[in-house]
Amino acid sequence: MSPSSTLRQSLQKPILDPSLYRVEFKAMASACEVVVAAANEREAYRCIKSAIDEVQRIEKKYSRYHPDSIVSIINSSAGKDWVLCDDETESLLNYAGTLFNISDGLFDITSGILRQAWNFNQPVLPSHAKILELLKLIGWQQVERENQKIRLPKTGMEIDFGGFGKEYAADRAATILVEHGVKHGYVNLGGDLRAIGAKPTGEPWVMGILNPREKGAIIASIPLTVGALATSGDYEKFFDLNGKRYCHIISPRTGQPVTYWQSVSVLAPLAVNAGTYTTIAMLKEADGLAWLESFGLAYLAIDCNGQVFQKQA
């Protein structure tokens, strides 16, 4: 069976609104969905297929798990050659540099290498020596760039767009839907949401925020008509050891997981903003909310004691 046939068969029509069409799919190691209002099944299929194709294109191009992706090529050339980047990749690298600057170096796309020290499938702490070894390979300021080329100066250095790849794909998929004439719908890539218009009735989409300490439970509901919602938390990849939680959001300064927030959710115009700003807030720990407020962003945050902090748009 072809992918197109599978997609057609997966088109779902929610009972409460026959003008809506939904497709669920897997991408970027996440459960994803696209929901649109369309005049008929053929129109819905055309729009949704184009959006999913764009998500899959981005995953293939930028995933470090694909050996022929541009990220894999850059990483395999570390300590050796320059790599020429196209306009799209150059734009993402520029954004990575902006995030590094506005986060005071906390959002660093060279820090993904710390996954070599931390394995969240088993409750074992890495050695101090291993972390120190990897910290020497981290530092966006070390990356060399000129004339739309990039070079990682040290063998073993890596970049990783995992910190905003899904969010970028959500924005691109939403753009594709708008270009196809969709006025009502949203893209959800593993909880990174981008809405392109309210329901056909004018009502907002109601998006649930997960309780970080009660699996499957919703702690809050956020209405969304246009714009994006993203959440970062210590409950996605983690282990508990001796009464302490160690999560996958790791400081590039210390090589240690953050501990101040259980989760931070942010509303922003674009998914790529919402997603990266939640991560930066997590990395800034006690200073996270003040940092978000400096940008005038709406948020819902839960600290390590379970206290909820919220600022509405």
Side-chain angles (χ1 to χ4, degrees), residues 234-293:
D234 69 357
Y235 58 90
E236 296 161 343
K237 297 177 185 176
F238 69 93
F239 63 77
D240 293 318
L241 183 64
N242 299 325
K244 183 177 179 180
R245 175 159 296 197
Y246 297 85
C247 76
H248 75 291
I249 302 174
I250 303 172
S251 170
R253 294 175 182 167
T254 65
Q256 296 293 324
V258 298
T259 59
Y260 195 88
W261 301 105
Q262 293 181 14
S263 72
V264 178
S265 301
V266 170
L267 287 166
L270 300 175
V272 75
N273 298 139
T276 52
Y277 285 21
T278 61
T279 302
I280 293 171
M282 291 283 293
L283 288 165
K284 282 191 170 287
E285 307 230 38
D287 297 325
L289 297 192
W291 185 83
L292 289 176
E293 290 188 2

Side-chain angles (χ1 to χ4, degrees), residues 38-301:
N40 52 59
E41 182 176 311
R42 179 180 179 182
E43 183 65 21
Y45 169 80
R46 183 177 70 90
C47 299
I48 294 175
K49 181 181 184 302
S50 296
I52 293 176
D53 285 348
E54 179 70 351
V55 172
Q56 293 172 339
R57 178 193 72 82
I58 292 168
E59 180 174 19
K60 183 178 181 180
K61 183 174 181 178
Y62 292 112
S63 172
R64 62 182 173 84
Y65 296 106
H66 286 268
D68 57 347
S69 74
I70 184 63
V71 167
S72 293
I73 292 170
I74 291 168
N75 292 344
S76 65
S77 301
K80 297 177 290 187
D81 303 326
W82 289 83
V83 176
L84 182 65
C85 301
D86 62 9
D87 290 343
E88 183 180 34
T89 304
E90 184 74 0
S91 176
L92 293 178
L93 291 170
N94 287 339
Y95 185 58
T98 297
L99 293 171
F100 180 82
N101 292 332
I102 66 174
S103 68
D104 296 321
L106 286 172
F107 194 106
D108 189 328
I109 66 168
T110 68
S111 67
I113 199 169
L114 286 166
R115 66 180 174 277
Q116 295 181 18
W118 292 92
N119 179 359
F120 296 99
N121 294 319
Q122 49 186 310
V124 178
L125 298 180
S127 69
H128 183 62
K130 180 64 175 178
I131 289 177
L132 287 179
E133 173 191 332
L134 293 173
L135 287 176
K136 295 175 184 177
L137 298 174
I138 296 171
W140 174 253
Q141 70 277 8
Q142 300 181 52
V143 175
E144 300 171 7
R145 295 176 63 201
E146 63 177 42
N147 300 325
Q148 210 155 317
K149 294 186 293 184
I150 184 171
R151 180 177 179 271
L152 306 182
K154 296 179 181 177
T155 301
M157 281 189 78
E158 295 182 1
I159 63 166
D160 187 345
F161 288 137
F164 56 81
K166 273 199 293 110
E167 295 87 343
Y168 172 67
D171 286 329
R172 284 293 310 144
T175 298
I176 294 292
L177 293 178
V178 171
E179 290 173 350
H180 279 71
V182 175
K183 293 181 171 60
H184 310 278
Y186 66 85
V187 177
N188 177 3
L189 303 186
D192 295 315
L193 297 148
R194 172 72 187 277
I196 55 176
K199 296 178 181 180
T201 60
E203 298 173 288
W205 308 100
V206 180
M207 306 300 186
I209 303 295
L210 291 175
N211 186 326
R213 291 297 180 270
E214 195 173 332
K215 189 172 182 179
I218 300 297
I219 199 168
S221 295
I222 306 293
L224 192 63
T225 55
V226 292
L229 172 66
T231 300
S232 293
D234 69 357
Y235 58 90
E236 296 161 343
K237 297 177 185 176
F238 69 93
F239 63 77
D240 293 318
L241 183 64
N242 299 325
K244 183 177 179 180
R245 175 159 296 197
Y246 297 85
C247 76
H248 75 291
I249 302 174
I250 303 172
S251 170
R253 294 175 182 167
T254 65
Q256 296 293 324
V258 298
T259 59
Y260 195 88
W261 301 105
Q262 293 181 14
S263 72
V264 178
S265 301
V266 170
L267 287 166
L270 300 175
V272 75
N273 298 139
T276 52
Y277 285 21
T278 61
T279 302
I280 293 171
M282 291 283 293
L283 288 165
K284 282 191 170 287
E285 307 230 38
D287 297 325
L289 297 192
W291 185 83
L292 289 176
E293 290 188 2
S294 72
F295 290 91
L297 295 169
Y299 59 78
L300 186 146

